[in-house]
Amino acid sequence: MARHDEGVITVGRSRAGTVAANTAGIIFGLFMLFPVYWVLNTAFKPEAEVKSFSPTFLPQSPTLDNFRSALGEELFIPAMINGLIITAMAVAAALVVGFLAALAIARFQFYGRKAIILIVLAVQLVPFLALLIPLFLMLQRAQLTDSLPGVALVYLVLLLPYTVWTLRGFISGIPRELDEAAMIDGCTRAQVFWKIILPLTGPGLVATSVYGFIQAWNEFIIINTLNSPENQNLMAWLLYNQTERGTAWGPLMAGAIITSIPVVIFFLLIQRNIATGLTAGAVKG
Amino acid sequence: MYAVDTPPQKTAEPARPEPRRVNRVRRRSQRDARTAWLLSLPTLLILAALLAYPLYRMIVLSFQNMRLRELITGLTPPWVGLDQYTKALTDGVFWGVVARTAAFTVVSVTISVLLGLGIALLMRRVHSKVRLFMMIAMMFVWALPALVAAQAFRWLTDSDFGVLNYLIDKIPGVDFANHSWFVNPWEGWAVITTLVVWAGIPFLAISLSAGLTQVPKELLEAATVDGASAWQSLRNITLPILKPLLTIVTTLSVIWNFGLFTQNWALRDGHPEPVYQTLATFSYTQAFGQSRYSYGSAISVITVLLMLGVMAFYIRQMFKIGEVD
């Protein structure tokens, strides 16, 4: 973080202004964190404290009951397993298929390349929910509704354009001279792929699959529409949980934390990539 | 952007080498093209089957009248021509939804972008420890799944035990006990907008603050020395340099916020009242709530058409800026 300091302007800045700016910054940070803090606060309170007209800002008698009761819910663990299976299937398939296309766009000059780039970019902007009606009818006819592979198939399409686009960036970053040097030394195209591009794209593959995991893990509308309660993921469980018999806020917040933990950890690991990915070109100017 | 990406044909042309070499180059580039298409084929097939075909089916569906009966029996739904579109376009409810979605998009994007820019500028002025704190706070918010964030806000604004009512009620002379935030649509939409802005700020502020590092500080210092006010420096130096990035993040925000679903869906318990419907939830409710699959499709088609201009603009910007080589 320290390197940002280089850009700080010191000329013509009043002390009072700096104090005001620091105060505003701290208030902003607290405001942003408050909902997160409140979720944590609630999750560790016993039910009597959750349902209190004068809520306390720390649990008076902290307890893990809410986590226990969330984990004990009939469909919670199955939803977690379903989510992991669907996500793994979708991410793995997107990675394999997407890598090949990324390779083509990044390393070959061919008629239609621009068209493929255009398709990959445009497809990311299609409001996916708009396609849910025909997708539902198609999967219904193929008898793939209320199944995990059906949802994974839809998620695959959801992840694929982004995967292609990001991996293309990573492959473009590998100096082409490496390929050429290897080919002069007698490597075939296939060997260049296995021995140079694939190993060097490793970090990119990790970052892309982590982002894919987040996308698939966070999705709930599609799975909620296609599958019965037995075949939901954790996000959909969070949604289902709210509509039945009023809201049990404590367990819901505990469930929300359990659901968020992998996402938050993964996100913080790859945040650098996400922050630059969407706007890299614009920053470079 | 990538000099190495220049097409091989171009390098062969000016030298005018002997014909045999040209042939070899052409043969190699033909083989390359075949390999490239082969590599792209799986992606293209999947996109065709699960994106292009559904898109086509959606359009076909919008000219039919598919209801629950056809879904169960598998019979071809009757063709009704433009009936679904006429129905939508002559329906006051539909226009209400369009106006509401558009108004929400304009308001939420304006607030988000202005606040995001403000926070990005603020981050340049604060102490490095304060900046780190702001960064960490924003990262947590950004990392939070949209549905979890929505559930958190639903809990904060709960009429019985929500902490928001409790805090407001503490102000002397104000009675907010058991206040229901979603009875008055203005208040309800204020909650939804706050949620969307709160969740959207990290992306905007962090991207824009990255963009601000591109502004040469010598330029700003020189302007200050020459007597330019902070506002003048911002308007005449910072904003012009930031413009391409601002355009991209604003366009993305418009696309995302226009498709609002998760937030109003979750905050209204999965049954948004008419006044909380947006185009996305309206189409969804028509199709899956009321089994009006064709009417829902027609609304989706209209939604996509409404967004087409913005999407084309985004793609053009990406090409123009050179992210796409």
Side-chain angles (χ1 to χ4, degrees):
Chain A
M1 288 299 147
R3 69 194 166 82
H4 285 289
D5 272 307
E6 294 158 16
V8 171
I9 293 108
T10 43
V11 179
R13 293 259 153 117
S14 70
R15 234 190 94 112
T18 309
V19 172
N22 283 328
T23 318
I26 292 169
I27 292 174
F28 165 77
L30 292 176
F31 177 80
M32 292 302 276
L33 283 180
F34 186 79
V36 182
Y37 150 71
W38 202 252
V39 169
L40 290 168
N41 182 23
T42 306
F44 290 100
K45 283 179 176 178
E47 197 185 347
E49 280 182 50
V50 173
K51 293 196 164 179
S52 154
F53 289 107
S54 43
T56 52
F57 285 80
L58 280 176
Q60 296 305 296
S61 37
T63 167
L64 289 175
D65 282 356
N66 292 323
F67 290 90
R68 251 175 244 127
S69 83
L71 287 170
E73 290 257 352
E74 194 194 340
L75 293 174
F76 193 89
I77 299 287
M80 188 187 282
I81 295 167
N82 291 340
L84 285 173
I85 293 173
I86 294 169
T87 306
M89 287 198 283
V91 170
L95 222 51
V96 173
V97 174
F99 188 83
L100 299 178
L103 197 63
I105 300 175
R107 275 297 194 257
F108 292 89
Q109 285 300 332
F110 59 104
Y111 188 74
R113 177 172 169 273
K114 266 247 155 74
I116 295 182
I117 293 180
L118 192 72
I119 290 171
V120 167
L121 267 180
V123 149
Q124 289 185 72
L125 302 175
V126 173
F128 208 79
L129 280 180
L131 296 180
L132 194 49
I133 300 169
L135 277 172
F136 167 72
L137 300 177
M138 282 165 64
L139 291 173
Q140 173 101 345
R141 178 153 293 184
Q143 300 195 319
L144 277 171
T145 47
D146 204 10
S147 77
L148 302 187
V151 179
L153 212 55
V154 180
Y155 287 2
L156 166 64
V157 194
L158 207 62
L159 302 182
L160 193 52
Y162 173 87
T163 309
V164 173
W165 188 240
T166 322
L167 287 178
R168 163 210 155 270
F170 280 105
I171 298 173
S172 292
I174 302 170
R176 196 175 272 234
E177 287 77 9
L178 282 180
D179 300 20
E180 282 158 9
M183 280 167 86
I184 288 169
D185 287 350
C187 275
T188 60
R189 274 244 189 235
Q191 283 173 319
V192 168
F193 167 76
W194 281 112
K195 292 187 172 160
I196 296 175
I197 297 181
L198 194 58
L200 286 176
T201 325
L205 289 170
V206 173
T208 313
S209 50
V210 165
Y211 187 80
F213 173 91
I214 295 176
Q215 294 296 98
W217 188 258
N218 283 359
E219 209 292 322
F220 66 94
I221 304 164
I222 293 166
I223 194 168
N224 198 2
T225 310
L226 296 180
N227 285 7
S228 66
E230 286 74 34
N231 286 323
Q232 299 295 323
N233 62 12
L234 273 184
M235 280 303 153
W237 180 87
L238 283 182
L239 193 69
Y240 258 95
N241 194 263
Q242 78 175 44
T243 42
E244 289 161 11
R245 61 187 159 74
T247 308
W249 289 108
L252 181 65
M253 293 298 128
I257 291 171
I258 298 170
T259 311
S260 306
I261 283 175
V263 177
V264 172
I265 292 175
F266 276 153
F267 185 91
L268 297 179
L269 283 179
I270 59 155
Q271 50 92 358
R272 214 166 275 277
N273 292 312
I274 292 180
T276 52
L278 283 163
T279 54
V283 178
K284 270 181 237 150
Chain B
M1 193 162 65
Y2 301 106
V4 281
D5 268 356
T6 341
Q9 301 94 300
K10 268 186 199 159
T11 51
E13 216 179 325
R16 280 209 153 273
E18 70 272 32
R20 202 191 296 161
R21 210 191 106 116
V22 171
N23 269 341
R24 206 165 57 220
V25 168
R26 189 177 301 147
R27 212 177 306 132
R28 208 194 123 198
S29 80
Q30 271 174 1
R31 206 179 53 225
D32 273 11
R34 209 175 312 132
T35 317
W37 275 103
L38 219 59
L39 290 171
S40 314
L41 201 62
T43 296
L44 292 175
L45 282 179
I46 290 173
L47 291 182
L50 290 162
L51 229 137
Y53 181 68
L55 209 61
Y56 157 79
R57 280 274 305 184
M58 176 175 81
I59 295 167
V60 170
L61 217 59
S62 72
F63 293 111
Q64 297 173 327
N65 188 14
M66 169 128 189
R67 301 295 308 266
L68 199 56
R69 200 170 70 96
E70 286 81 17
L71 180 73
I72 294 166
T73 57
L75 294 171
T76 310
W79 292 89
V80 294
L82 286 168
D83 277 10
Q84 307 289 359
Y85 291 96
T86 333
K87 186 179 162 198
L89 297 177
T90 54
D91 183 6
V93 175
F94 173 75
W95 283 109
V97 174
V98 174
R100 192 176 306 118
T101 311
F104 166 77
T105 307
V106 171
V107 172
S108 63
V109 170
T110 310
I111 299 175
S112 308
V113 172
L114 286 180
L115 265 177
L117 184 61
I119 298 300
L121 289 167
L122 183 66
M123 281 171 75
R124 313 269 291 156
R125 276 220 65 174
V126 296
H127 190 270
S128 61
K129 278 187 186 140
V130 176
R131 185 162 49 243
L132 183 63
F133 172 62
M134 291 168 80
M135 267 308 244
I136 291 172
M138 285 196 281
M139 277 301 168
F140 267 100
V141 172
W142 197 354
L144 224 54
L147 182 63
V148 171
Q151 293 287 29
F153 268 65
R154 200 166 73 89
W155 169 224
L156 291 172
T157 56
D158 182 58
S159 61
D160 294 328
F161 309 112
V163 69
L164 189 62
N165 282 348
Y166 170 73
L167 290 175
I168 296 177
D169 199 51
K170 287 229 153 170
I171 303 168
V174 183
D175 178 24
F176 254 67
N178 297 327
H179 177 76
S180 181
W181 282 88
F182 291 92
V183 172
N184 177 344
W186 289 99
E187 286 180 14
W189 275 104
V191 173
I192 296 169
T193 309
T194 310
L195 166 60
V196 170
V197 170
W198 172 81
I201 287 251
F203 163 68
L204 289 163
I206 291 171
S207 310
L208 290 174
S209 104
L212 280 177
T213 56
Q214 302 294 110
V215 181
K217 70 170 178 170
E218 295 80 15
L219 221 54
L220 292 171
E221 282 176 357
T224 314
V225 171
D226 287 347
S229 68
W231 170 245
Q232 282 172 323
S233 299
L234 178 69
R235 246 199 73 179
N236 298 320
I237 300 172
T238 310
L239 287 185
I241 294 176
L242 218 52
K243 204 184 149 205
L245 181 59
L246 262 177
T247 314
I248 292 267
V249 296
T250 309
T251 316
L252 278 175
S253 302
V254 168
I255 293 170
W256 292 335
N257 290 9
F258 195 79
L260 182 80
F261 187 104
T262 301
Q263 287 79 2
N264 53 341
W265 190 260
L267 279 168
R268 297 318 299 134
D269 296 359
H271 303 283
E273 295 83 349
V275 73
Y276 291 111
Q277 293 279 5
T278 52
L279 274 168
T281 58
F282 189 59
S283 157
Y284 185 92
T285 323
Q286 289 299 325
F288 297 106
Q290 320 251 355
S291 303
R292 294 187 188 132
Y293 300 101
S294 287
Y295 191 47
S297 296
I299 294 163
S300 290
V301 172
I302 297 172
T303 311
V304 173
L305 288 177
L306 284 174
M307 287 308 289
L308 221 51
V310 187
M311 293 180 198
F313 180 74
Y314 171 79
I315 292 172
R316 245 194 69 202
Q317 284 289 319
M318 292 288 275
F319 271 93
K320 219 163 84 184
I321 279 165
E323 168 64 9
V324 185
D325 51 281

